[in-house]
Amino acid sequence: MDARALAALAANPGCRRRALLDGAGVDKGALAQALGAPANFGQSQFAHQRGNSFEARVKADGGADLVRLLHERLRDGSEPPGPGAVATPDLTAPGPQGRTARTALALREATEAGRWALLDHPMVSLDVAGSPAFLEPDAVVVHPDGSWTVIEIKSFPMVDGSADPAKVGAAARQSAVYTLALERVASMIGEPEEGGGTANRADRAPARARVRHQVLLVCPKDFSNLPTAELVDVRKQLAVTRRQLDRLTRIEEIAAALPEGTTFDLRLTDDGRIPTRPVEELTAAVDAVDAAYAPECLSTCELAAHCRTRSRAAGQVEALGRGVRGELGGLTTVDAVLTAAMNGPADEAPTGDPAVDALRRAAALRAEALASRPELASRPEAVACR
């Protein structure tokens, strides 16, 4: 699971289906294709190449320009980094566990050195429902005071100092996941090392590691390829992400509730391209795991089209949006909503259920509006309640 998937998962913690599939490393795009409901979103190859080219430009010259850009946006009165003042530690190590350990060591060393440092694509880990997720921020800058800033580089433009709020919000949620993982590393900086590490470092300054709650969002300026940046406060997103991840059911508990032998294997042909497993079997396996569909899933989850179809077929009000679901209280299906609205006049005594009373008032207003429009009353199919 990457930070984008975790941000989407944290936004919908009640979806056990996504938690299990992501935790098991299932290719949801291939699964959706085999189910006959392919995802209709994603980044094009051109956009991906453009993003890589822009990131390479931003990080040129050892990241010195990027650190200077961060210093300009901070406006904290500190000394700007001079030539050769930015360290770029080597984070090469075998495997995700090795890279995570190497990143933690580099962060510790840079913090204790008390100088600017840029970690290019470090790797950190985060426990998600009992399973480790390895995350790779675009960059992390260590300040001379020991604080750390997450750098998020995006290829969408920042026009006249502002960018698309929806894209900025998505970047903020993604950065909050990185910040949460880095806070775990920061909490261990300065702890005694095994084998008398504290005595060996007695002559060093105490570690002051902390993760800043403002991330630097770097984007192309206007429609050029020149970088510009703004600080984005992610404290709200951080609190929401922390709370939602804590609510996620452990993956082992989800798996334990499945029927024996449940598998999401597509049974691909020898060339690894064509699934041979019957759609009915695959659908039954997917439906064995509870989902929590909402329209927002269409932009974040490859299985959203399949879940939407199943939600609509079951008449679930969640298909109309979380706001509608919250307003309807205990009415969980469209049929129940229509029954509550049509089974009694609005002038009856209140039922005690605010949702039912509001629906009956709405039904009465609709009937009154139709009565004032005879041409519509004669064609009820034109204004059918759906």
Side-chain angles (χ1 to χ4, degrees):
M1 289 186 282
D2 59 14
R4 185 173 300 176
L6 284 179
L9 186 59
N12 190 8
C15 187
R16 293 188 163 202
R17 182 175 296 169
R18 174 154 197 169
L20 179 66
L21 295 177
D22 282 346
V26 174
D27 185 344
K28 297 195 301 298
L31 182 60
Q33 186 78 32
L35 288 169
N40 57 359
F41 74 94
Q43 192 177 50
S44 69
Q45 184 178 359
F46 173 75
H48 186 70
Q49 292 174 347
R50 182 182 59 189
N52 289 341
S53 175
F54 177 69
E55 181 176 340
R57 178 177 185 133
V58 169
K59 294 179 178 178
D61 299 325
D65 291 339
L66 178 57
V67 175
R68 280 195 291 270
L69 190 60
L70 171 60
H71 181 267
E72 290 172 4
R73 294 299 182 268
L74 288 174
R75 302 182 183 92
D76 58 359
S78 62
E79 288 293 325
V86 181
T88 55
D90 182 13
L91 303 179
T92 304
Q97 291 88 353
R99 289 186 58 198
T100 300
R102 182 67 188 91
T103 295
L105 179 60
L107 286 168
R108 179 190 293 274
E109 292 174 344
T111 300
E112 293 176 347
R115 59 176 297 188
W116 291 99
L118 174 69
L119 279 67
D120 186 6
H121 283 287
M123 182 160 282
V124 290
S125 65
L126 188 66
D127 184 83
V128 181
S131 179
F134 296 97
L135 313 172
E136 189 176 355
D138 291 330
V140 173
V141 171
V142 179
H143 299 248
D145 65 357
S147 59
W148 309 342
T149 295
V150 173
I151 309 294
E152 186 67 18
I153 303 174
K154 295 296 185 182
S155 59
F156 56 80
M158 195 174 289
V159 182
D160 295 331
S162 62
D164 184 340
K167 294 181 178 179
V168 173
R173 291 189 293 272
Q174 186 175 339
S175 299
V177 176
Y178 296 136
T179 302
L180 188 61
L182 282 166
E183 284 184 346
R184 174 179 171 272
V185 181
S187 67
M188 297 186 294
I189 298 295
E191 292 183 353
E193 298 179 352
E194 294 182 5
T198 304
N200 295 336
R201 297 185 301 151
D203 57 334
R204 301 185 186 181
R208 298 156 294 169
R210 63 181 177 87
V211 186
R212 292 177 179 245
H213 294 154
Q214 283 187 315
V215 304
L216 187 72
L217 176 62
V218 184
C219 300
K221 183 177 182 180
D222 298 327
F223 297 100
S224 69
N225 202 34
L226 298 175
T228 186
E230 289 297 332
L231 290 170
V232 179
D233 194 320
V234 296
R235 281 178 291 185
K236 178 180 178 181
Q237 292 84 354
L238 185 62
V240 171
T241 301
R242 183 183 289 112
R243 181 173 65 252
Q244 300 292 57
L245 290 179
D246 287 343
R247 290 175 55 194
L248 286 175
T249 306
R250 295 181 65 86
I251 294 174
E252 304 93 285
E253 297 177 16
I254 301 175
L258 296 178
E260 187 70 25
T262 299
T263 176
F264 305 101
D265 183 12
L266 302 181
R267 297 175 191 162
L268 299 175
T269 54
D270 293 339
D271 59 5
R273 295 182 179 180
I274 303 175
T276 63
R277 189 174 181 192
V279 175
E280 295 77 12
E281 285 187 19
L282 199 55
T283 301
V286 171
D287 290 348
V289 192
D290 292 337
Y293 171 76
E296 295 86 344
C297 297
L298 291 170
S299 61
T300 60
C301 182
E302 295 86 345
L303 277 176
H306 171 78
C307 296
R308 177 181 60 181
T309 300
R310 308 296 284 184
S311 180
R312 286 177 173 177
Q316 297 173 346
V317 295
E318 285 86 349
L320 304 176
R322 292 194 180 99
V324 175
R325 175 67 187 90
E327 293 288 341
L328 292 175
L331 302 174
T332 59
T333 65
V334 174
D335 286 343
V337 171
L338 295 178
T339 300
M342 304 301 182
N343 276 5
D347 55 3
E348 281 188 356
T351 64
D353 187 327
V356 173
D357 294 338
L359 285 169
R360 289 184 176 177
R361 286 194 298 272
L365 290 173
R366 178 177 181 273
E368 183 179 337
L370 291 177
S372 65
R373 300 282 301 277
E375 69 279 13
L376 294 181
S378 62
R379 297 174 55 239
E381 70 281 356
V383 288
C385 185
R386 300 187 186 278

